[in-house]
Amino acid sequence: MSQRQLALLLIAPGLALVAALFLYPLSFSLISAFTGPQGGVSLDSFRKAWELYSRDMLFTVVIVLASCLFTGLAAIIIAGTLTLGENRWIVGTLKALYRWPLFIPFIVAAQCMRTFLAKNGLMNNSFVAMGLMEPLQAVSFLDWRGIIATFVWKQTPFVALLLAGALAAIDRATLEAGRNLGASRLRVLVELALPQVMPQLLVALVLSFVTMLSVLSVPMMVAGSQPTMLTVDMAFRINAYGDYATANALGVITYLLSAGAAIIYLKRGMAAKEVAP
């Protein structure tokens, strides 16, 4: 047996698993989405999906982009504090705490947020106990705000972990030179450190974008009102009507959104390589 045949034999189980669990469902979804009620190629499922759920498509994109924005800002603050912070107590406490949500499943995070952000939840009860608000002033955050809060809380540790590792690998002499010239830690972080780790930050945000786009439990459990995210619409079309064609059309739209994020990343990476000597 040649080395090429041996290599193919070794990777065959992995390829078979990818084909069975990813390529086959993807092909089935694409075929079903583009097949009409009478057979043949048709865009009826996409027209129906657009007529019924165009508002939810916009809502999904806005929620995920806003969550990525806040996640990136929170990750920059955490990673910058871990890398450039001088207070050992703050750095040590943050290092011990910030990674905890990374190991919590989305469904558990959604349930925690239901009890935390409800009108009579832990957050409002804590504010009332501290005298910061009256009980009648309490409002529920179990809507789009709760979805964003859950996504940001869940994904920030992942982005911060990658970003902190990239910041730790930067040549410290550059950062120390900025400090010696009188720049504040914030300015060193924004003007010297972040430009050097922007590719890593972009990778983390693209992965977070795709992850949040595919989550079902958070929008279903945290915000049950309309509009909602596409994952909830897909589940509803299948469970309530058995309408796999429309659900698969929504799935294809979700694929295209994910592909759009990946294309933006690839174009940025190719442009960076062309600029580099």
Side-chain angles (χ1 to χ4, degrees):
M1 182 180 297
S2 64
Q3 292 185 350
R4 180 181 178 84
Q5 292 174 331
L6 181 60
L8 292 175
L9 182 63
L10 291 175
I11 65 174
L15 292 177
L17 193 64
V18 170
L21 300 182
F22 177 74
L23 294 180
Y24 171 73
L26 176 62
S27 302
F28 178 82
S29 298
L30 291 174
I31 294 173
S32 175
F34 287 98
T35 301
Q38 307 300 327
V41 179
S42 173
L43 296 177
D44 291 341
S45 298
F46 290 91
R47 295 191 188 98
K48 185 176 182 180
W50 177 258
E51 292 173 359
L52 295 176
Y53 302 114
S54 58
R55 187 182 178 193
D56 291 348
M57 295 176 192
L58 178 61
F59 179 80
T60 299
V61 173
V62 171
I63 287 294
V64 175
L65 288 178
S67 300
C68 286
L69 175 61
F70 290 121
T71 298
L73 292 176
I76 290 171
I77 294 173
I78 293 175
T81 303
L82 294 175
T83 306
L84 303 175
E86 297 178 355
N87 189 311
R88 294 185 178 180
W89 186 86
I90 294 178
V91 173
T93 303
L94 189 61
K95 187 180 298 184
L97 295 178
Y98 86 96
R99 285 175 288 187
W100 286 10
L102 188 63
F103 307 100
I104 299 177
F106 272 104
I107 189 170
V108 178
Q111 181 59 37
C112 292
M113 287 297 177
R114 281 180 60 87
T115 59
F116 182 75
L117 299 175
K119 185 174 182 179
N120 294 318
L122 178 61
M123 182 182 69
N124 287 329
N125 287 335
S126 299
F127 290 156
V128 171
M130 290 185 292
L132 299 178
M133 62 184 299
E134 296 295 328
L136 294 179
Q137 295 176 328
V139 295
S140 174
F141 286 84
L142 296 180
D143 49 21
W144 60 271
R145 295 168 294 183
I147 297 176
I148 293 177
T150 306
F151 281 153
V152 172
W153 181 75
K154 182 68 177 67
Q155 287 300 117
T156 294
F158 170 74
V159 179
L161 187 64
L162 295 181
L163 189 60
L167 287 173
I170 294 178
D171 185 6
R172 300 290 298 186
T174 305
L175 307 182
E176 292 298 333
R179 293 288 288 156
N180 293 336
L181 291 174
S184 63
R185 288 196 297 272
L186 178 60
R187 188 173 181 182
V188 169
L189 175 63
V190 174
E191 297 185 8
L192 295 179
L194 280 182
Q196 299 183 61
V197 298
M198 195 56 67
Q200 290 83 353
L201 176 60
L202 186 60
V203 169
L205 290 179
V206 169
L207 293 176
S208 296
F209 180 91
V210 175
T211 300
M212 291 184 287
L213 198 62
S214 63
V215 173
L216 171 63
S217 57
V218 172
M220 181 175 287
M221 297 175 64
V222 174
S225 59
Q226 291 292 331
T228 188
M229 297 184 68
L230 292 180
T231 49
V232 178
D233 294 331
M234 285 186 274
F236 177 75
R237 296 307 304 182
I238 294 174
N239 295 329
Y241 299 105
D243 187 0
Y244 285 89
T246 304
N248 286 325
L250 293 172
V252 172
I253 294 172
T254 305
Y255 291 149
L256 294 177
L257 293 175
S258 302
I263 289 172
I264 292 174
Y265 164 69
L266 291 175
K267 284 187 175 181
R268 182 179 177 85
M270 293 175 63
K273 288 184 178 179
E274 291 177 358
V275 172

